Amino acid sequence: MSNCVREIKYRCFNDCKGWGCPSHDGKLQFQSTSNAYHFTMDGKEYYFDEAELQAMIDLLKSLGRTDAVKL
């Protein structure tokens, strides 16, 4: 059983403040016992099981655009 945590600082694509984006923190937690993912971003929380997250990744890949998120 393990809980893996990854954190990242990022800036919005569009300026979220009038003077620009001050940066934000993103945090991804993976719980291996339940294969559950918890993503926190600016006070918003998202929960995914393994199949839901895989579906999102597959959909992002299917966009096939060079200006989209790189996986």
Side-chain angles (χ1 to χ4, degrees):
M1 168 171 97
S2 76
N3 188 32
C4 300
V5 179
R6 298 293 184 264
E7 297 184 52
I8 191 168
K9 273 207 176 300
Y10 66 95
R11 294 191 186 284
C12 294
F13 180 72
N14 295 318
D15 294 340
C16 58
K17 306 285 185 196
W19 60 87
C21 178
S23 81
H24 306 278
D25 296 315
K27 182 176 178 181
L28 178 66
Q29 298 176 349
F30 170 67
Q31 176 49 252
S32 65
T33 304
S34 59
N35 283 340
Y37 296 85
H38 175 219
F39 182 62
T40 307
M41 174 181 67
D42 271 357
K44 297 178 233 166
E45 296 187 57
Y46 303 92
Y47 296 89
F48 303 97
D49 69 19
E50 185 178 10
E52 291 169 330
L53 189 56
Q54 188 62 55
M56 182 179 291
I57 291 169
D58 292 345
L59 287 169
L60 286 167
K61 284 181 178 179
S62 75
L63 292 175
R65 296 180 54 102
T66 59
D67 59 343
V69 175
K70 295 180 181 174
L71 298 173

